[in-house]
Amino acid sequence: MNDKPVTHETVEAELQRLIDNLRGADAATVEAETARLQAMAGQVQDAPGRERAFSRAAELPRLLAGPPVPASAEFARAQLLFDRAIKDQGPAEVRIPRLEQTIEQIGQLADQAPVREAGAIRRLNSPLVRLIEHLQSSTG
């Protein structure tokens, strides 16, 4: 048996392993592994770490299910814009203005989308902002 104390990081590592290994698993298996992960979280010594570990363990079913299928036309359009922007080729001085325009368009779509999807749509902009920063740093 492993004599190392269980920490929040231990539970997080096990959660990541389960996410990698349980894709497509049946509900009974996911339920059993969630219960096992929660039991592991209960062994974390410090209270804040234990609470975070319990919270993360409870997320296993949702994490395995993946993101919900977008229901709105705004979400579908934002994903299409995002995909095009990521796959876009060309020099940075051409790509950056196109990325900035896409970010603006995605923001407008988020404003028009149902409230339950607006945040998810806005989060599509984060990787685009990081891509702009990368392009700027690689050309400057």
Side-chain angles (χ1 to χ4, degrees):
M1 181 163 165
N2 190 348
D3 292 331
K4 285 185 173 181
V6 177
T7 65
H8 170 262
E9 290 77 18
T10 308
V11 174
E12 184 66 32
E14 181 63 5
L15 175 68
Q16 294 303 318
R17 188 190 69 75
L18 290 170
I19 290 169
D20 291 341
N21 293 334
L22 292 179
R23 294 270 180 215
D26 60 86
T29 301
V30 173
E31 186 177 327
E33 289 297 333
T34 300
R36 187 181 66 75
L37 197 58
Q38 287 176 324
M40 179 186 270
Q43 297 174 26
V44 175
Q45 295 295 315
D46 67 293
R50 186 172 46 254
E51 190 168 320
R52 284 193 325 268
F54 269 126
S55 176
R56 288 293 286 159
E59 291 179 7
L60 179 61
R62 182 187 60 79
L63 294 170
L64 288 171
V69 176
S72 72
E74 292 86 2
F75 199 114
R77 177 76 179 132
Q79 284 186 313
L80 180 64
L81 289 169
F82 175 84
D83 289 343
R84 286 184 185 160
I86 292 294
K87 294 175 184 172
D88 192 18
Q89 298 294 314
E93 57 272 2
V94 174
R95 287 184 74 191
I96 291 172
R98 288 194 293 224
L99 286 163
E100 290 169 339
Q101 181 181 13
T102 299
I103 289 169
E104 185 176 322
Q105 290 172 325
I106 289 173
Q108 291 170 355
L109 287 167
D111 292 340
Q112 300 164 10
V115 174
R116 70 183 182 282
E117 293 182 355
I121 292 171
R122 280 188 185 86
R123 283 190 293 277
L124 291 172
N125 279 335
S126 293
L128 300 179
V129 169
R130 287 193 302 275
L131 178 56
I132 288 172
E133 292 167 353
H134 170 74
L135 291 170
Q136 289 171 334
S137 69
S138 65
T139 59

